[in-house]
Amino acid sequence: MDLPFEPYRIKVVEKIRRTSPQERAQLLELAGYNVFKVPSTAVYVDLLTDSGTSAMSDLQWAALMTGDEAYAQSRSFSDFEATIRDIFGYRHVIPTHQGRAAEGLLFATAVKPGQVVPNNIHFDTTRANVEHVGAIALDCVADAGLDPVLEAPFKGDMSLEKLAAAFAKYGRERIPFVMLTITNNSGGGQPVSLANMRAVSAFCREQRVPLIFDACRFAENAWFIQQREAGCRDKSIHEICREMFALGHGCTMSAKKDALVNIGGFLCLDDDAMAQAATNLLILREGFPTYGGLAGRDLAAVAQGLREVLDEDYLAYRIGQVARLGARLDELGVPFLRPTGGHAVYLDARRMLPHVPQREFPAQVVTAALYRTAGVRAVEIGSLMFEHKDPDTGKPVPPAMELVRLAVPRRVYTHTQLDFVADACARVMELGPRLRGLEITWEPPSLRHFTATLRPVGGGPFLADA
Ligand code: F0G
């Protein structure tokens, strides 16, 4: 595969440190086999997340210097609002400090206990925010999106049948709105097609419920539409974005992804009453409506990042880099969810380590082993993150897939560093049955993957001698 061409040159660099296998083994044990607890200074290539980890451009850094810190009606807010309206097209723009704050405002004001929020697949914080208000988070992704082997262009699409079944089961009055996550992070960073958005939008209109986008990776989704969907090749990314968002009534956004900043987010809504309720809570929790928990300079950097992310050279490079990591893994025989997503490659832990049963967290075993073997930090997207209780029976329901996400920060790592990561994955696979399963020694009541501690099943070493 050709090397995707970087449409920029490097102006600032940050040193990283290599560690020894002994140091990493010790740190991993101390961290309770949870890489969220490993110090970043002991991580060589950090693919834990693409969130808040982007390298900002010279123009974004310049925007930080010229940000307007006025408490009310700052120039930076006007730029932020105008840029967002231009891309997303919604009437109300509510700044928040990150995506989950936007979710929190929306769910606290528009969702009542016992209600149901369908989504293609809720991200972990989205699910937790829905459940926090006593509502049910329902995943309705089409079955193709749950098949890690199938090669299909739009595996983030929602199943209209599952959506209709949800309306039939719960009734329209229990469903305050429908969400679509673009791209579908928990299902492999897979895009949603414009055709599916149109179909979901038409269904929602018929049912008279709003459609809200979780727009974190909207530009990457738009790029996939441009490249893969019939009749879209000649449309600009900007045009596709306008077309997508016109199908909905608002969005939640973590600017830490496709706005190319280290902190920030927003909630957009068309409906005046919904926006007013969210704004009232914003003032209580986040800040005045023209800064919402951010500094003026942060708003300015978001506006600049949103203009940059629409650049097709950037998107071709960005998504090409992720695809190339997948191509390298293929050459090495490492199984991953197909095709590669916009922001990440998702390793298929069950096929990498078939000897580890699902109850022993195979994806967490791969994650821990990647760190131990090579200092590469990934994130588990499997039972540790997503096992949940069945709302009817209360029984634990394991997720359909056991994935390990290699999330590629934007504009940060080189092809050489990602080749190193691919080799590390192959080395982990070669360890095979020498790697022990894991068991939980402590967990919090929700979002356990962030802070839970684990140990090799029954104690003893994580990696058996050869
Ligand atoms: N929605 C999606 C689809 C996300 O991926 C995230 C964050 C959020 C909402 C919440 O945004 O972090 O700004 O509060 N995802 C990060 C990740 C954390 O690693 O995928 P936030």
Side-chain angles (χ1 to χ4, degrees):
M1 185 182 169
D2 288 342
L3 284 184
F5 189 81
E6 294 86 348
Y8 48 74
R9 55 189 173 196
I10 295 166
K11 200 186 278 257
V12 176
V13 295
E14 182 182 357
K15 188 168 164 45
I16 50 179
R17 183 172 72 91
R18 297 198 77 159
T19 47
S20 67
Q22 294 75 12
E23 182 181 356
R24 291 193 298 269
Q26 208 174 16
L27 286 170
L28 193 62
E29 209 183 315
L30 268 176
Y33 293 85
N34 184 342
V35 294
F36 277 100
K37 297 188 176 200
V38 170
S40 75
T41 47
V43 176
Y44 189 50
V45 181
D46 203 347
L47 306 187
L48 184 73
T49 179
D50 64 321
S51 181
T53 52
S54 296
M56 290 208 296
S57 69
D58 50 356
L59 294 182
Q60 285 180 292
W61 282 105
L64 291 187
M65 285 307 296
T66 54
D68 176 359
E69 302 305 337
Y71 190 93
Q73 314 302 340
S74 74
R75 173 174 39 74
S76 297
F77 177 72
S78 302
D79 186 25
F80 175 89
E81 185 183 48
T83 308
I84 292 167
R85 280 211 184 118
D86 177 49
I87 298 170
F88 296 79
Y90 299 121
R91 276 154 45 77
H92 300 282
V93 176
I94 300 166
T96 60
H97 75 274
Q98 61 182 79
R100 71 199 70 180
E103 293 164 7
L105 294 178
L106 178 67
F107 300 146
T109 55
V111 182
K112 295 189 185 67
Q115 288 192 324
V116 179
V117 180
N119 201 329
N120 40 359
I121 303 186
H122 290 269
F123 184 62
D124 61 351
T125 60
T126 323
R127 170 172 285 278
N129 265 298
V130 170
E131 290 171 353
H132 185 68
V133 298
I136 298 168
L138 196 68
D139 293 340
C140 296
V141 75
D143 286 344
L146 299 173
D147 178 347
V149 191
L150 180 78
E151 284 276 358
F154 292 105
K155 288 170 73 175
D157 281 359
M158 183 176 263
S159 156
L160 269 294
E161 291 76 41
K162 290 183 193 172
L163 185 60
F167 276 78
K169 178 172 177 189
Y170 297 104
R172 185 232 158 275
E173 51 299 326
R174 276 183 73 187
I175 301 183
F177 50 82
V178 171
M179 293 190 80
L180 265 182
T181 303
I182 57 172
T183 59
N184 184 24
N185 186 13
S186 310
Q190 302 293 318
V192 178
S193 65
L194 208 43
N196 186 251
M197 292 179 198
R198 286 197 195 104
V200 172
S201 173
F203 179 88
C204 290
R205 221 175 13 254
E206 233 167 69
Q207 299 288 337
R208 294 187 311 283
V209 300
L211 170 62
I212 306 287
F213 289 97
D214 178 335
C216 297
R217 300 176 180 86
F218 73 97
E220 291 168 4
N221 200 105
W223 191 87
F224 281 121
I225 288 174
Q226 188 198 54
Q227 299 296 311
R228 295 181 180 172
E229 196 156 352
C232 293
R233 257 306 161 93
D234 295 329
K235 293 179 187 176
S236 71
I237 297 296
H238 189 223
E239 282 166 342
I240 294 169
C241 290
R242 289 300 298 239
E243 209 171 322
M244 293 188 318
F245 293 120
L247 295 166
H249 304 85
C251 68
T252 56
M253 172 75 187
S254 168
K256 298 169 75 171
K257 284 82 167 174
D258 267 354
L260 300 168
V261 292
N262 306 121
I263 195 73
F266 50 89
L267 170 66
C268 288
L269 291 165
D270 263 344
D271 184 83
D272 293 341
M274 281 173 87
Q276 189 58 57
T279 303
N280 294 344
L281 189 58
L282 176 85
I283 297 174
L284 190 70
R285 295 267 166 80
E286 291 267 304
F288 188 76
T290 64
Y291 73 84
L294 292 169
R297 57 177 171 270
D298 296 326
L299 300 170
V302 169
Q304 177 57 30
L306 286 172
R307 290 190 283 270
E308 290 175 13
V309 82
L310 303 180
D311 175 18
E312 291 174 22
D313 287 343
Y314 158 73
L315 286 168
Y317 158 73
R318 154 80 178 150
I319 294 172
Q321 193 184 36
V322 174
R324 183 169 178 276
L325 173 58
R328 289 287 293 187
L329 289 167
D330 248 353
E331 283 165 20
L332 296 165
V334 180
F336 58 88
L337 188 147
R338 312 194 77 94
T340 50
H343 66 298
V345 175
Y346 293 64
L347 303 175
D348 188 343
R350 271 189 178 149
R351 282 191 292 146
M352 280 178 81
L353 299 180
H355 70 285
V356 182
Q358 192 169 16
R359 63 174 185 284
E360 293 180 10
F361 305 104
Q364 187 66 12
V365 173
V366 170
T367 306
L370 263 177
Y371 177 70
R372 194 183 191 282
T373 307
V376 171
R377 180 155 65 170
V379 74
E380 193 256 16
I381 304 215
S383 293
L384 189 62
M385 182 184 273
F386 272 124
E387 188 184 84
H388 65 277
K389 288 204 167 57
D390 183 293
D392 298 326
T393 65
K395 287 206 178 111
V397 185
M401 298 186 276
E402 290 290 332
L403 304 175
V404 175
R405 187 184 67 172
L406 306 172
V408 181
R410 293 168 183 79
R411 309 190 291 206
V412 172
Y413 288 115
T414 63
H415 300 314
T416 320
Q417 285 162 323
L418 295 186
D419 285 354
F420 172 85
V421 170
D423 290 344
C425 295
R427 278 156 63 204
V428 164
M429 229 173 116
E430 278 160 21
L431 294 175
R434 286 180 60 199
L435 287 164
R436 269 286 223 350
L438 293 167
E439 63 189 14
I440 291 177
T441 52
W442 178 84
E443 63 181 303
S446 81
L447 292 170
R448 67 179 180 186
H449 54 289
F450 289 124
T451 54
T453 49
L454 303 98
R455 65 168 191 176
V457 171
F462 179 50
L463 179 66
D465 291 335

